[in-house]
Amino acid sequence: MTMSLLPSVGDGNCYYILTEDCAYGSKYFQAGNMCFCTERSYLSNFTNMPPTRFLRVVMLDDSSTVTINVGILQPVSEEMAAFLLGISSHSERLNCFLERLSLEAALQAVPGQRVMVEVNQQHFPAVIRYIGSVQKSTLTALSPFFFGVELQGEGENRGHNDGSYHGIEYFKCRPNCGIFLPFSKIQFIPKLDNDHGKQKPKVDTEEVVPVKVGDAVSFYVDNVRRKGIAMAVYREGTQWFVKVCPEEEGTTDIFREIPMDSVVKEDLHSQSLYPPFESDMDVEHSQMKQQIGESGDECEGVNPSLEVNSMVQITLDKGNQVSGIIRWLGYLPHTKHRMAGVELDEDKGVTDGEWLGKYYFHCAPKRGIFVKLQSCQPDVRFQCSRNPNLIDYREKEDVPRAPLSFPPLRNEEAVHILRGRMKGIQGHCNSCYMDAALFSLFSCTSVLDSMLFTPFPLCNRNVQNILRDEIVNPLRKNGFVMARSVMHLREQLTEKGQCSSFTNAEKDPEEFLNLIMHQVLGIEPLLRLQSGAQKEQDCYCYQIFMDKQEDLVVPDVQQLVEHSFLSSDLKLVEIPSCFIIQMPRFGKEYKMFSKIIPSLELDITDLLLDSPRECCVCSDVATWECSKCFKDKTFSPKGLKQFCSTCSKQVHSHYRRKTHKPTRLRVPQEFNRQNSRGNQQVPREKMELFAVLCIETSHYVSFVKYGPENEHWMFFDSMADRHGGENGFNIPTVTLCPEVAKYLDLPLAMLALEQPRDMDGVAKRLFCDAYMYMYQSKKMALYK
C-alpha cells in the first residue's frame, strides 16, 4: 500500500523514520534513524510531475543534511516522532514503530494512568505523572518525549529521583520513587470502555481490565463451565475480547475468542480453586510433586526428545499450524501442565516472552507464545524422511562429528559434487544471507579455513565445531547441508551475540560475518587500514563510500576501490589474505550503479602503504603521488597516479597541473638504488575474485568461481524451489552459469548498452545485483 510522504505537520516540519540502512557519502545511517524536512521543501520536491525519487532531509541524531531514497522513508507525526526519539537503540526504535501497539498506547496515555514499567529488567507497578521532554535543546528540531512515572508497590525506592531532573521539577513524589523512561519500557494497561470512556481518567482511581494475560479464567460453553488460561486481551471497536486456551481441549491448543463480559477470573469465581499466590519456585515445586503423584499424565503425549532449542510445530485453532523454537520449559503460576515458551517463525504469537509481568525468555513482539508441552511436536521439516519415494535428501546421512578436514572443491570435482537440486545449503526462515555467505567462503576456497581449526584467543569452540563438522565438511564431502545444521549455528549466534533475532529475522551478510569472526571466534581482522597520519583501523569487511561520479557509468570493482581509497585517503597496511568488499548502495533498494563489472583480478599494488610503486609514465620506481592527476582524463581511467621525480616535473610543468600538490612516497631502501641492468622492476600484488554475493528483493544468492577459466562460475540459491507448500521445505539448487564469460569478454561500450532483461541465464544477477565481492591472496593465505 502506497503512503503519502506528507504526514501531519505541527511546526512546519515533516518527520520520517528510516526503514532500511542507508549510506550517504562517508556516512552510514542505520534503519531506525529519524529525520525531517520542512513542509516547503517537501512541497517543492513532490508538486512537480513526475515527483523525484529522492528527498533532502536533516538527520535528527547529528543534524547532517543528506539525500535519501523516499522508498525507505516512512512518515510519522510530530508527537509520534518525539516518542520514538526517546528510544536510543535504532533497531528497537524501528521495531516499536512497526509493531505500533505500544506507540499508539503511548499517544493516548495521560497523567494519572496506571502502568507496568521495566526497571533493571524487572517489572513494577507505577503511575504516570508527566509526559513530555526533559532538558529541551535549542540545537535540535525536536526533543524526545519521556514518561515520568512514580513507582509503587515493590518498585518503591528503585527509582532515580523525586520527579526532578537536572534541577528542574517535572512532578513530585517521594525520593527514589521517580524515574523517566521511554515508552518502550512501559506496558500500558488497557481500560474497559464505558459511558465515561472518553473522559480523562481520575488519578489513581481509573478502572482497569479485570482479566490480563496469564490469568486463570472460567467461561461457559453449552451451559457447561470450562476453565482455561487467558493468552491475549484485545479490543475490537468498543468491545473487549479474551483469547482463551481451554484446559480440556487435549493436546491441541484451541484458542477461543470470548467477549470480556462472558469471562470470569478464577480467583474471583472461587477463592478455593488455587492456593494463595506463592513464589515461582514454590509453585513449580508443588506442581511438579502433584504431577509426579498423579497417573503419569504429564508424560503422556509428550515427545521425550523435546528440549530447549528444539524446533517444533504447534496446531492452533482451526487446524492452523505454526512453527518455532522452544526457548523455555517449566511450570507457570496457575497452570498444572508443563509449559513451553516458543519463539515462532512468524508474527502469530501473543507475547514477547512475558507472562504475568515476568520474562521467561525474550523475542520480538508477537513472536512468543506459551503452550502446553504436549501440544508441541518435532518440526517434520527437519526430521528424517521415511518415504523412499519422496525426493527429500535432507537426511542423506548423520551429521559428521569427527574433526576431519575436507579440502575445498575445484574444477570437475566441484561440478560433480555440488551441481544439482537439493545441493548446497538448505535455506529456512530468512537464512539466505547466511547460506550465501557460507557457501561463498567455504565451498571452493580454503582462504578462511583457519576459522575452522585455529584456537583463537576468544574462540568459542562449540561454534567452531558446528561450523566445521555440521556445515563445511558435509558441504565439501556430500555437496549438501541440512537446514537444521545452519539453524544450530544460528541458535549459537543468538546466544553468543545476545540478539534474539538471528534465528528468524532478515540480516545482512556483513552483520553475520562481523559477529562470527569478531565476537564469537575472535579471529584477527582481515584488513588493516590507515588514513593519513591517523592510527591504524581494523575491520573484516570494507564498505565502499563515494560520491556519484559522472564519468563512471559502468565501473569495474578496481575503479570503485581506487576511488573509495583515494577519497578517504586510505591505504592498506599489509596485503590481506581475504578482501571482502561491499558495493556502494543506499539501502537494499537503490543501487548507485545499474551495472558493475567484476574485476577478476584486483591489483592492490598502489593501495599498499610504504610499498614500492611504479611510475605510470616510464615504469621506473615512483617517488611522488598526485591525487589531482587521478581525475585527469589525460591519463588512463584506472590506477592511482604516481610518478618518478623526472616524470613528475614534466607532468606538473603543464599549465593545467601547476596547481597540483603531489605528495612524496616512502620507498623501500632497496628500491632507491638501480641495479646494473637498468630500472628496478616493481612487483605487482594482485588478488583473485572467488565469490560474489548478490541481492534482489531482500533475497541473497551467490556466484562462486570454481575453476581458472572465465566460464567456471556456479550460481547458488538456498531457496530456489520449495516442496510441500507452507509446511514443506526449501530446495537449494546449484547451477553452472558459463554465460557469465560472454559478458566479461564484451567491450565496455557494448556491455553498457546491454539490457538486463535480455542478458542470458543468471548473468543479470551478477552484473546488476552485486552486493559483496570476495577476493583472496593465495600467497598470504599460507601465513594467516
Side-chain angles (χ1 to χ4, degrees), residues 631-646:
K631 301 177 182 179
D632 193 328
K633 296 184 179 180
T634 305
F635 301 101
S636 66
K638 293 184 183 179
L640 302 183
K641 301 303 176 280
Q642 57 269 329
F643 310 94
C644 65
S645 297
T646 303

PDB file of all heavy atoms in Angstrom, residues 631-646:
ATOM      1  N   LYS A 631      42.128  12.224 -11.358  1.00  0.00           N
ATOM      2  CA  LYS A 631      40.887  12.607 -12.031  1.00  0.00           C
ATOM      3  C   LYS A 631      41.126  13.238 -13.394  1.00  0.00           C
ATOM      4  O   LYS A 631      40.174  13.622 -14.074  1.00  0.00           O
ATOM      5  CB  LYS A 631      40.117  13.580 -11.139  1.00  0.00           C
ATOM      6  CG  LYS A 631      39.759  12.995  -9.777  1.00  0.00           C
ATOM      7  CD  LYS A 631      39.062  14.014  -8.895  1.00  0.00           C
ATOM      8  CE  LYS A 631      38.747  13.424  -7.532  1.00  0.00           C
ATOM      9  NZ  LYS A 631      38.084  14.413  -6.629  1.00  0.00           N
ATOM     10  N   ASP A 632      42.394  13.352 -13.784  1.00  0.00           N
ATOM     11  CA  ASP A 632      42.737  13.945 -15.086  1.00  0.00           C
ATOM     12  C   ASP A 632      42.488  12.932 -16.189  1.00  0.00           C
ATOM     13  O   ASP A 632      43.085  11.849 -16.206  1.00  0.00           O
ATOM     14  CB  ASP A 632      44.215  14.376 -15.074  1.00  0.00           C
ATOM     15  CG  ASP A 632      44.552  15.278 -16.258  1.00  0.00           C
ATOM     16  OD1 ASP A 632      43.945  15.089 -17.327  1.00  0.00           O
ATOM     17  OD2 ASP A 632      45.419  16.161 -16.096  1.00  0.00           O
ATOM     18  N   LYS A 633      41.594  13.245 -17.116  1.00  0.00           N
ATOM     19  CA  LYS A 633      41.214  12.304 -18.172  1.00  0.00           C
ATOM     20  C   LYS A 633      42.313  12.103 -19.211  1.00  0.00           C
ATOM     21  O   LYS A 633      42.192  11.240 -20.078  1.00  0.00           O
ATOM     22  CB  LYS A 633      39.934  12.788 -18.856  1.00  0.00           C
ATOM     23  CG  LYS A 633      38.743  12.801 -17.909  1.00  0.00           C
ATOM     24  CD  LYS A 633      37.459  13.200 -18.623  1.00  0.00           C
ATOM     25  CE  LYS A 633      36.283  13.181 -17.649  1.00  0.00           C
ATOM     26  NZ  LYS A 633      35.020  13.576 -18.316  1.00  0.00           N
ATOM     27  N   THR A 634      43.400  12.891 -19.091  1.00  0.00           N
ATOM     28  CA  THR A 634      44.540  12.672 -19.999  1.00  0.00           C
ATOM     29  C   THR A 634      45.167  11.311 -19.737  1.00  0.00           C
ATOM     30  O   THR A 634      45.678  10.656 -20.656  1.00  0.00           O
ATOM     31  CB  THR A 634      45.590  13.779 -19.803  1.00  0.00           C
ATOM     32  OG1 THR A 634      44.975  15.045 -19.972  1.00  0.00           O
ATOM     33  CG2 THR A 634      46.736  13.627 -20.803  1.00  0.00           C
ATOM     34  N   PHE A 635      45.115  10.888 -18.491  1.00  0.00           N
ATOM     35  CA  PHE A 635      45.707   9.609 -18.112  1.00  0.00           C
ATOM     36  C   PHE A 635      44.667   8.496 -18.235  1.00  0.00           C
ATOM     37  O   PHE A 635      43.475   8.734 -18.463  1.00  0.00           O
ATOM     38  CB  PHE A 635      46.245   9.686 -16.680  1.00  0.00           C
ATOM     39  CG  PHE A 635      47.282  10.751 -16.485  1.00  0.00           C
ATOM     40  CD1 PHE A 635      46.959  11.964 -15.893  1.00  0.00           C
ATOM     41  CD2 PHE A 635      48.592  10.545 -16.905  1.00  0.00           C
ATOM     42  CE1 PHE A 635      47.902  12.944 -15.720  1.00  0.00           C
ATOM     43  CE2 PHE A 635      49.552  11.520 -16.733  1.00  0.00           C
ATOM     44  CZ  PHE A 635      49.214  12.725 -16.144  1.00  0.00           C
ATOM     45  N   SER A 636      45.122   7.275 -18.040  1.00  0.00           N
ATOM     46  CA  SER A 636      44.222   6.117 -18.129  1.00  0.00           C
ATOM     47  C   SER A 636      43.190   6.177 -17.011  1.00  0.00           C
ATOM     48  O   SER A 636      43.453   6.730 -15.945  1.00  0.00           O
ATOM     49  CB  SER A 636      45.021   4.810 -18.033  1.00  0.00           C
ATOM     50  OG  SER A 636      45.603   4.696 -16.757  1.00  0.00           O
ATOM     51  N   PRO A 637      41.985   5.606 -17.235  1.00  0.00           N
ATOM     52  CA  PRO A 637      40.930   5.693 -16.224  1.00  0.00           C
ATOM     53  C   PRO A 637      41.174   4.829 -15.001  1.00  0.00           C
ATOM     54  O   PRO A 637      40.458   4.946 -14.023  1.00  0.00           O
ATOM     55  CB  PRO A 637      39.687   5.223 -16.989  1.00  0.00           C
ATOM     56  CG  PRO A 637      40.214   4.322 -18.062  1.00  0.00           C
ATOM     57  CD  PRO A 637      41.543   4.909 -18.457  1.00  0.00           C
ATOM     58  N   LYS A 638      42.152   3.943 -15.049  1.00  0.00           N
ATOM     59  CA  LYS A 638      42.422   3.053 -13.923  1.00  0.00           C
ATOM     60  C   LYS A 638      43.778   3.355 -13.326  1.00  0.00           C
ATOM     61  O   LYS A 638      44.688   3.829 -14.005  1.00  0.00           O
ATOM     62  CB  LYS A 638      42.376   1.588 -14.364  1.00  0.00           C
ATOM     63  CG  LYS A 638      41.015   1.102 -14.790  1.00  0.00           C
ATOM     64  CD  LYS A 638      41.045  -0.386 -15.109  1.00  0.00           C
ATOM     65  CE  LYS A 638      39.699  -0.873 -15.600  1.00  0.00           C
ATOM     66  NZ  LYS A 638      39.725  -2.312 -15.925  1.00  0.00           N
ATOM     67  N   GLY A 639      43.935   2.999 -12.062  1.00  0.00           N
ATOM     68  CA  GLY A 639      45.223   3.110 -11.399  1.00  0.00           C
ATOM     69  C   GLY A 639      45.450   4.477 -10.793  1.00  0.00           C
ATOM     70  O   GLY A 639      45.120   5.512 -11.388  1.00  0.00           O
ATOM     71  N   LEU A 640      46.000   4.495  -9.558  1.00  0.00           N
ATOM     72  CA  LEU A 640      46.404   5.752  -8.953  1.00  0.00           C
ATOM     73  C   LEU A 640      47.569   6.322  -9.743  1.00  0.00           C
ATOM     74  O   LEU A 640      48.318   5.595 -10.410  1.00  0.00           O
ATOM     75  CB  LEU A 640      46.779   5.524  -7.494  1.00  0.00           C
ATOM     76  CG  LEU A 640      45.673   4.923  -6.609  1.00  0.00           C
ATOM     77  CD1 LEU A 640      46.150   4.804  -5.176  1.00  0.00           C
ATOM     78  CD2 LEU A 640      44.404   5.746  -6.678  1.00  0.00           C
ATOM     79  N   LYS A 641      47.753   7.631  -9.658  1.00  0.00           N
ATOM     80  CA  LYS A 641      48.748   8.299 -10.499  1.00  0.00           C
ATOM     81  C   LYS A 641      49.960   8.667  -9.648  1.00  0.00           C
ATOM     82  O   LYS A 641      49.897   9.557  -8.792  1.00  0.00           O
ATOM     83  CB  LYS A 641      48.137   9.544 -11.143  1.00  0.00           C
ATOM     84  CG  LYS A 641      46.923   9.224 -12.010  1.00  0.00           C
ATOM     85  CD  LYS A 641      47.251   8.221 -13.111  1.00  0.00           C
ATOM     86  CE  LYS A 641      46.032   7.827 -13.916  1.00  0.00           C
ATOM     87  NZ  LYS A 641      45.197   6.832 -13.259  1.00  0.00           N
ATOM     88  N   GLN A 642      51.054   7.920  -9.884  1.00  0.00           N
ATOM     89  CA  GLN A 642      52.308   8.199  -9.198  1.00  0.00           C
ATOM     90  C   GLN A 642      53.426   8.270 -10.236  1.00  0.00           C
ATOM     91  O   GLN A 642      53.337   7.657 -11.295  1.00  0.00           O
ATOM     92  CB  GLN A 642      52.621   7.145  -8.140  1.00  0.00           C
ATOM     93  CG  GLN A 642      52.683   5.721  -8.634  1.00  0.00           C
ATOM     94  CD  GLN A 642      51.355   5.002  -8.549  1.00  0.00           C
ATOM     95  OE1 GLN A 642      50.555   5.274  -7.670  1.00  0.00           O
ATOM     96  NE2 GLN A 642      51.104   4.093  -9.462  1.00  0.00           N
ATOM     97  N   PHE A 643      54.451   9.045  -9.903  1.00  0.00           N
ATOM     98  CA  PHE A 643      55.486   9.340 -10.893  1.00  0.00           C
ATOM     99  C   PHE A 643      56.866   9.258 -10.245  1.00  0.00           C
ATOM    100  O   PHE A 643      57.013   9.437  -9.025  1.00  0.00           O
ATOM    101  CB  PHE A 643      55.306  10.760 -11.450  1.00  0.00           C
ATOM    102  CG  PHE A 643      53.915  11.063 -11.928  1.00  0.00           C
ATOM    103  CD1 PHE A 643      52.993  11.675 -11.081  1.00  0.00           C
ATOM    104  CD2 PHE A 643      53.515  10.743 -13.215  1.00  0.00           C
ATOM    105  CE1 PHE A 643      51.714  11.960 -11.504  1.00  0.00           C
ATOM    106  CE2 PHE A 643      52.236  11.028 -13.651  1.00  0.00           C
ATOM    107  CZ  PHE A 643      51.322  11.635 -12.791  1.00  0.00           C
ATOM    108  N   CYS A 644      57.849   8.991 -11.085  1.00  0.00           N
ATOM    109  CA  CYS A 644      59.230   9.174 -10.640  1.00  0.00           C
ATOM    110  C   CYS A 644      59.514  10.678 -10.633  1.00  0.00           C
ATOM    111  O   CYS A 644      58.707  11.480 -11.125  1.00  0.00           O
ATOM    112  CB  CYS A 644      60.196   8.441 -11.560  1.00  0.00           C
ATOM    113  SG  CYS A 644      60.232   9.099 -13.249  1.00  0.00           S
ATOM    114  N   SER A 645      60.625  11.082 -10.087  1.00  0.00           N
ATOM    115  CA  SER A 645      60.916  12.517  -9.951  1.00  0.00           C
ATOM    116  C   SER A 645      60.936  13.225 -11.297  1.00  0.00           C
ATOM    117  O   SER A 645      60.385  14.325 -11.455  1.00  0.00           O
ATOM    118  CB  SER A 645      62.254  12.718  -9.233  1.00  0.00           C
ATOM    119  OG  SER A 645      62.188  12.196  -7.919  1.00  0.00           O
ATOM    120  N   THR A 646      61.547  12.588 -12.292  1.00  0.00           N
ATOM    121  CA  THR A 646      61.658  13.215 -13.614  1.00  0.00           C
ATOM    122  C   THR A 646      60.290  13.410 -14.244  1.00  0.00           C
ATOM    123  O   THR A 646      59.956  14.498 -14.730  1.00  0.00           O
ATOM    124  CB  THR A 646      62.535  12.345 -14.538  1.00  0.00           C
ATOM    125  OG1 THR A 646      63.807  12.165 -13.935  1.00  0.00           O
ATOM    126  CG2 THR A 646      62.694  13.004 -15.903  1.00  0.00           C
TER     127      THR A 646
END
